[in-house]
C-alpha cells in the first residue's frame, strides 16, 4: 500500500467516527479536505497535517463528552491517566477490531511460520493484546489458552508445567518473574517466545534464551500500542524491526513536539510518528507515539520496500510501561496528594520501576504510603504485583544518585529515563 493510499484511507476512515478531525485539521493547515479532493487523491502533503500530540488528544479525544462513549457499536479499552486525572479510553469500531486481529494474525504467521507449532499459552496482563491473543493462535490452528494475571506466581508455574506450551506469549516483566521463580525454566519445553510490552534489550533476550534453552532467534519481540495496534516485529533475518502493512511512519525531533523536551543527541534517533489506514475510531493520522527509535528507514524485503528501524531506545512522553501502562500524571497525583509539594523522577531499569521523590521533609512512612497508592492507581498493576507476577514498584527519596542539586528545576525536562 503506497504512502498516498495510506493517508487517503486514514482521512476517509476518520470521517466515520471522528467528525471533529476534519474541521480541526482544516483549521490547522488552512486548506480543504473535501470529498472531491479525497476522491481524486488531491490530499495535502502529510507534513502539512498537524501532529496528533498528547495535548491534542486530551483536548479532542480523551474527554468526558466524547460521543464514542455512548455508542453501542464501539469497543473501548482503558489505559493510564491524563493531566486532568481521568483515565484514557481508547475506542475501536467493529472494523478496527477486525483489522487489529488480521494484522496480528499476519505478524504471528510471519514469526511462527507454517504449522511448526501446535500449542500456545498467553501469560499477559490485561487489555487488547491479551483479549485477542487466544483467537489469533486458534486461527493459526494451535491449541491455545491463557492464565489470569490475578493468579499467584505459583499457579503460573504449575500451568507451564502441565501445559508445556510450545509458544509463550508474554511481557518481559512477567517472563522475568517466571524465570526467577523457576528452578529449571528449560523444563517447560517452550520453543518460541513472543514478547510484547516493555522494551527488551538484545542482552536481556540473549540471557533469557540461555535460561530457556532455546536460540536467540526463537525469542521475537513485537511492538504495538493500544492506540494503533500491532506496529512492528523484530525480524531476525534482517536484524531490524519491520513495520506492519498499512502504516506510514515518520521520524520527528522532540523539539517539534514540545520546546520543553530535550533534543536527542544521537542523529540517528527520532520520535516515531504513525499514520494508520486501519483505524477509524482513533485519530491515527500523524499520531505521536513518543517512542524514540533508531535508524528509521525503508529496506527491501521480499522485493518491496518495508519501513523499518533498528531498535526502540526509550520513551519521552508521559506514559511508561510496568506490566500495564501507567502515566507520570498518575504518579505525580499520588505524590502531591501525600506531600502537597515536591517533584518526581522515574527510572526504568531491567524491567524494574523506581520512583525518586524530591521533597525536603519526606519520611519513610510517607514513601511507603506513596508506594502503595501508586501500585493501586492502575488496579491491574496492583493485582499483578499482589499475585507476584510483577515486581514491586520502588519509591525512594531523591538523592545524589541523580546529581547534585536535583530538584524540580533539574528534572523538569526529563521526568522518565531508561537504563
Amino acid at each position: 500500500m503506497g504512502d498516498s493510499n495510506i493517508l487517503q484511507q486514514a482521512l476517509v476512515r476518520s470521517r466515520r467516527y471522528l467528525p471533529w478531525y476534519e474541521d480541526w485539521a482544516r483549521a490547522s493547515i488552512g486548506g480543504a479536505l473535501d470529498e472531491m479532493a479525497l476522491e481524486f487523491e488531491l490530499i495535502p502533503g502529510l507534513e502539512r497535517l498537524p501532529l496528533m500530540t498528547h495535548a491534542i488528544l486530551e483536548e479532542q479525544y480523551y474527554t468526558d463528552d466524547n460521543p464514542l462513549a455512548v455508542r453501542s457499536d464501539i469497543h473501548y479499552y482503558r489505559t493510564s491517566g491524563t493531566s486532568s486525572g481521568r483515565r484514557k479510553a481508547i475506542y475501536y469500531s467493529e472494523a478496527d477490531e477486525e483489522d487489529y486481529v488480521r494484522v496480528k494474525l499476519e505478524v504471528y504467521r510471519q514469526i511462527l511460520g507454517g504449522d511448526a507449532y501446535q500449542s500456545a499459552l498467553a501469560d499477559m496482563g490485561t487489555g487488547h493484546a491479551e483479549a485477542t491473543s487466544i483467537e489469533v493462535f486458534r486461527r493459526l490452528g494451535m491449541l491455545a489458552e491463557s492464565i489470569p494475571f490475578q493468579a499467584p506466581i505459583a499457579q503460573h508455574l504449575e500451568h507451564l508445567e502441565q501445559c508445556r506450551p510450545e509458544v509463550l506469549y508474554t511481557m518481559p516483566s512477567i517472563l522475568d518473574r517466571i524465570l526467577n521463580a523457576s528452578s529449571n525454566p528449560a523444563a517447560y519445553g517452550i520453543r518460541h517466545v513472543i514478547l510484547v510490552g516493555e522494551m527488551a534489550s538484545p542482552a536481556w533476550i540473549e540471557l533469557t534464551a540461555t535460561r530457556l534453552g532455546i536460540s536467540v532467534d526463537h525469542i521475537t519481540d513485537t511492538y504495538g500500542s493500544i492506540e494503533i495496534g500491532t506496529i512492528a516485529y523484530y525480524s531476525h533475518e534482517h536484524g531490524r524491526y519491520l513495520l506492519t502493512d498499512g502504516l506510514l511512519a515518520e521520524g520527528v525531533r522532540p523539539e517539534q513536539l514540545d520546546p520543553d523536551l530535550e533534543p536527542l543527541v544521537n542523529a540517528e534517533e527520532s520520535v516515531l510518528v504513525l499514520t494508520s489506514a486501519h483505524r477509524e475510531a482513533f485519530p491515527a493520522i500523524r499520531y505521536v507515539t513518543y517512542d524514540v527509535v533508531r535508524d528509521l528507514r525503508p529496506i527491501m524485503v521480499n522485493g518491496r520496500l518495508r519501513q523499518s528501524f533498528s531498535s526502540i531506545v526509550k520513551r519521552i512522553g508521559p506514559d511508561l510501561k510496568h506490566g500495564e501502562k501507567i502515566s507520570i500524571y498518575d504518579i505525580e497525583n499520588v505524590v502531591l496528594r501525600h506531600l502537597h509539594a515536591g517533584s518526581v523522577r522515574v527510572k526504568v531499569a531491567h524491567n524494574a520501576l523506581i520512583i525518586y521523590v524530591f521533597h525536603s521533609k519526606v519520611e519513610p512512612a510517607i514513601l511507603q504510603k506513596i508506594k502503595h497508592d501508586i501500585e493501586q492507581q492502575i488496579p491491574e498493576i496492583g493485582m499483578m504485583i499482589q499475585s507476584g507476577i510483577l515486581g514491586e514498584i520502588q519509591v525512594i527519596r531523591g538523592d545524589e544518585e541523580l546529581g547534585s542539586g536535583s530538584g524540580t528545576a533539574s528534572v523538569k525536562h526529563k521526568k522518565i529515563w531508561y537504563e
Side-chain angles (χ1 to χ4, degrees):
M1 188 182 298
D3 290 357
S4 61
N5 288 334
I6 291 174
L7 178 56
Q8 184 184 24
Q9 286 193 32
L11 290 169
V12 170
R13 291 189 70 168
S14 71
R15 290 183 157 196
R16 299 175 186 173
Y17 293 95
L18 307 168
W20 58 267
Y21 179 81
E22 184 172 330
D23 289 339
W24 175 78
R26 184 187 294 114
S28 300
I29 67 175
L33 293 174
D34 58 32
E35 200 72 48
M36 183 175 292
L38 292 174
E39 182 179 350
F40 291 98
E41 299 188 24
L42 301 175
I43 53 179
L46 185 67
E47 69 284 350
R48 289 187 60 205
L49 291 171
L51 290 163
M52 188 58 62
T53 63
H54 183 83
I56 298 302
L57 286 168
E58 282 204 35
E59 176 186 314
Q60 301 285 348
Y61 190 83
Y62 303 134
T63 60
D64 291 331
D65 59 351
N66 190 326
L68 296 178
V70 297
R71 293 185 60 146
S72 60
D73 59 340
I74 289 288
H75 305 262
Y76 74 91
Y77 303 89
R78 292 209 176 271
T79 180
S80 59
T82 63
S83 60
S84 63
R86 71 172 66 91
R87 290 191 74 181
K88 300 174 189 173
I90 312 296
Y91 299 96
Y92 273 69
S93 69
E94 291 294 346
D96 285 337
E97 288 281 342
E98 292 172 6
D99 280 334
Y100 181 96
V101 172
R102 179 183 56 77
V103 171
K104 182 175 281 190
L105 186 61
E106 291 172 358
V107 169
Y108 282 21
R109 187 175 286 118
Q110 186 65 40
I111 291 172
L112 300 175
D115 55 358
Y117 303 98
Q118 305 300 316
S119 61
L121 174 68
D123 196 341
M124 299 285 295
T126 60
H128 214 183
E130 186 275 336
T132 56
S133 57
I134 298 302
E135 178 183 357
V136 171
F137 284 124
R138 288 175 178 168
R139 287 195 189 184
L140 290 173
M142 302 169 66
L143 295 173
E145 51 187 300
S146 64
I147 181 168
F149 69 92
Q150 304 96 325
I153 184 66
Q155 291 184 19
H156 290 252
L157 304 186
E158 291 173 6
H159 211 75
L160 284 165
E161 291 174 355
Q162 294 170 2
C163 296
R164 294 181 58 82
E166 294 178 286
V167 177
L168 176 64
Y169 180 53
T170 190
M171 294 185 286
S173 54
I174 292 179
L175 186 52
D176 262 345
R177 302 293 288 181
I178 290 173
L179 294 177
N180 292 335
S182 303
S183 57
N184 182 17
Y188 296 132
I190 297 167
R191 296 173 54 202
H192 204 123
V193 175
I194 300 177
L195 297 171
V196 71
E198 305 97 346
M199 290 181 289
S201 70
W204 182 88
I205 289 177
E206 185 174 354
L207 176 61
T208 299
T210 299
R211 298 178 72 180
L212 289 172
I214 58 179
S215 61
V216 169
D217 60 358
H218 279 201
I219 296 182
T220 304
D221 190 29
T222 65
Y223 164 53
S225 74
I226 187 61
E227 295 86 0
I228 298 294
T230 304
I231 296 171
Y233 69 95
Y234 187 80
S235 167
H236 291 281
E237 177 184 354
H238 300 92
R240 301 175 63 80
Y241 287 83
L242 301 180
L243 267 71
T244 58
D245 286 335
L247 290 180
L248 177 56
E250 306 170 76
V252 303
R253 311 302 298 175
E255 51 270 32
Q256 293 176 248
L257 307 173
D258 186 334
D260 281 345
L261 291 175
E262 292 181 342
L264 297 171
V265 177
N266 190 330
E268 289 191 342
E269 296 176 359
S270 58
V271 181
L272 184 65
V273 172
L274 296 172
T275 297
S276 172
H278 303 314
R279 287 290 269 129
E280 59 187 8
F282 181 82
I285 302 173
R286 301 200 81 194
Y287 165 70
V288 180
T289 67
Y290 291 96
D291 289 321
V292 176
V293 298
R294 185 169 295 157
D295 191 24
L296 177 66
R297 59 182 172 86
I299 63 171
M300 193 65 70
V301 178
N302 297 328
R304 69 184 184 94
L305 285 174
R306 291 275 300 274
Q307 189 62 273
S308 71
F309 54 85
S310 64
S311 61
I312 306 168
V313 181
K314 60 182 179 181
R315 287 185 60 84
I316 62 170
D319 298 328
L320 58 148
K321 190 85 170 182
H322 187 62
E324 293 297 321
K325 189 179 286 186
I326 185 170
S327 169
I328 190 71
Y329 301 126
D330 293 320
I331 296 170
E332 288 180 327
N333 285 339
V334 171
V335 171
L336 294 176
R337 189 163 67 237
H338 284 279
L339 296 175
H340 309 294
S343 62
V344 301
R345 194 177 185 193
V346 179
K347 177 180 178 181
V348 181
H350 310 296
N351 296 324
L353 184 61
I354 306 169
I355 298 168
Y356 293 90
V357 177
F358 297 92
H359 189 281
S360 59
K361 297 180 180 179
V362 64
E363 299 294 336
I366 297 297
L367 291 175
Q368 189 62 30
K369 290 179 180 178
I370 290 172
K371 172 183 179 296
H372 173 270
D373 287 359
I374 289 174
E375 290 180 346
Q376 300 304 315
Q377 189 75 9
I378 305 296
E380 296 84 354
I381 291 179
M383 285 187 278
M384 283 191 282
I385 291 173
Q386 186 176 4
S387 68
I389 66 166
L390 192 63
E392 293 187 355
I393 295 173
Q394 299 180 53
V395 180
I396 61 179
R397 180 174 175 175
D399 56 23
E400 293 303 314
E401 180 180 346
L402 299 180
S404 60
S406 291
T408 303
S410 64
V411 301
K412 174 184 177 184
H413 301 302
K414 192 176 183 183
K415 292 184 178 181
I416 305 172
W417 90 102
Y418 294 82
E419 184 176 284

